[in-house]
Amino acid sequence: MDTDIIISQLIEHFREIVPLKDSDIDAILPKLEIIQLKKKDHLLHEGQISRSMRFIAEGSLYAYHIDEKGKENITQLGIENWWVNDLYSYLSELPSRMFIRANEKTTVIQISKNNLELLYKEVPAISEFWRLKMQSAYVTLQERTFEHSRVDAYTKYRTFVTTYRNIEQRFPQYMIASYLGITVEYLSYLRKKHLSDLS
């Protein structure tokens, strides 16, 4: 993927939420780092401190933690134009309790915490962008927490496929099942039920 296209993708992503002048873009560009990942490469390991915000320009990532039985539990899925990170580690500067891994060949744009702090002063619109992003992330987390404890599996699945229309085909079934907190077999049943309800 061409570097200019990758960068312009992020700039357009910013501009969907906040206005940017040419001088703002000039300040942003030197602070970006492009990372290329092969399928199954890790972007973050458990125990590392997450020191960057990460934008997916191409490909897909997933975040997971390993429980006491050695089982992977998927906590985040991400495709193009999404941000995937361990916000707890990033904000607290404590070691991460999760891994972030490429689901396929993936291109990520990183902005280190230090550079982002500089941009908040140099480009106030970026501070506004992250204020709005953090609000949105908090609302999404609250919704997911509420749904997890009070909503049946079929409603969870239906919400997932209608909210994130392009994501289900990008990840293996076992990852989708893990993200929803159900078995692969039950996911298969829910998919068939959903298709039947749509027809």
Side-chain angles (χ1 to χ4, degrees), residues 5-190:
I5 294 172
I6 293 169
I7 298 300
S8 64
Q9 192 175 332
L10 176 60
I11 297 302
E12 287 311 307
H13 177 74
F14 285 143
R15 280 180 159 157
E16 287 172 7
I17 296 176
V18 294
L20 291 175
K21 303 189 292 285
D22 288 346
S23 58
D24 295 333
I25 295 166
D26 290 341
I28 292 167
L29 295 183
K31 296 178 174 66
L32 305 178
E33 179 188 9
I34 297 174
I35 307 287
Q36 303 282 356
L37 300 167
K38 298 190 293 290
K39 184 176 181 175
K40 296 190 176 179
D41 280 354
H42 279 93
L43 188 59
L44 182 72
H45 283 86
E46 181 183 37
Q48 288 181 320
I49 296 173
S50 182
R51 302 188 190 277
S52 296
M53 295 304 290
R54 300 172 173 99
F55 174 81
I56 305 172
E58 181 182 44
S60 58
L61 297 171
Y62 62 101
Y64 66 96
H65 69 272
I66 298 176
D67 64 23
E68 60 280 357
K69 295 177 182 174
K71 181 185 171 189
E72 284 186 12
N73 294 276
I74 310 287
T75 55
Q76 293 178 54
L77 302 169
I79 57 174
E80 289 86 2
N81 297 319
W82 290 24
W83 297 84
V84 173
N85 200 6
D86 180 348
L87 275 180
Y88 172 82
S89 175
Y90 178 85
L91 294 170
S92 68
E93 299 189 348
L94 293 171
S96 178
R97 294 176 286 191
M98 65 173 66
F99 298 83
I100 298 177
R101 196 176 196 185
N103 176 53
E104 57 194 342
K105 183 181 173 185
T106 301
T107 303
V108 172
I109 304 175
Q110 290 194 154
I111 309 175
S112 72
K113 192 170 190 177
N114 288 342
N115 278 335
L116 202 49
E117 294 292 338
L118 290 172
L119 281 176
Y120 290 160
K121 296 170 187 169
E122 294 173 28
V123 184
I126 293 298
S127 179
E128 176 67 3
F129 173 88
W130 279 111
R131 184 184 70 79
L132 295 170
K133 272 287 177 189
M134 291 294 184
Q135 284 180 357
S136 175
Y138 182 74
V139 168
T140 301
L141 177 63
Q142 287 282 80
E143 285 176 349
R144 190 168 176 218
T145 303
F146 178 84
E147 207 173 61
H148 184 73
S149 60
R150 301 194 183 196
V151 174
D152 65 90
Y154 182 52
T155 304
K156 275 189 220 176
Y157 173 75
R158 216 173 45 199
T159 301
F160 175 77
V161 295
T162 52
T163 306
Y164 308 115
R165 292 181 185 277
N166 301 319
I167 204 169
E168 191 179 11
Q169 285 70 42
R170 299 286 295 276
F171 291 89
Q173 279 200 35
Y174 79 90
M175 288 190 188
I176 303 291
S178 176
Y179 178 78
L180 293 173
I182 58 178
T183 64
V184 174
E185 293 77 17
Y186 196 42
L187 174 62
S188 181
Y189 163 76
L190 294 178

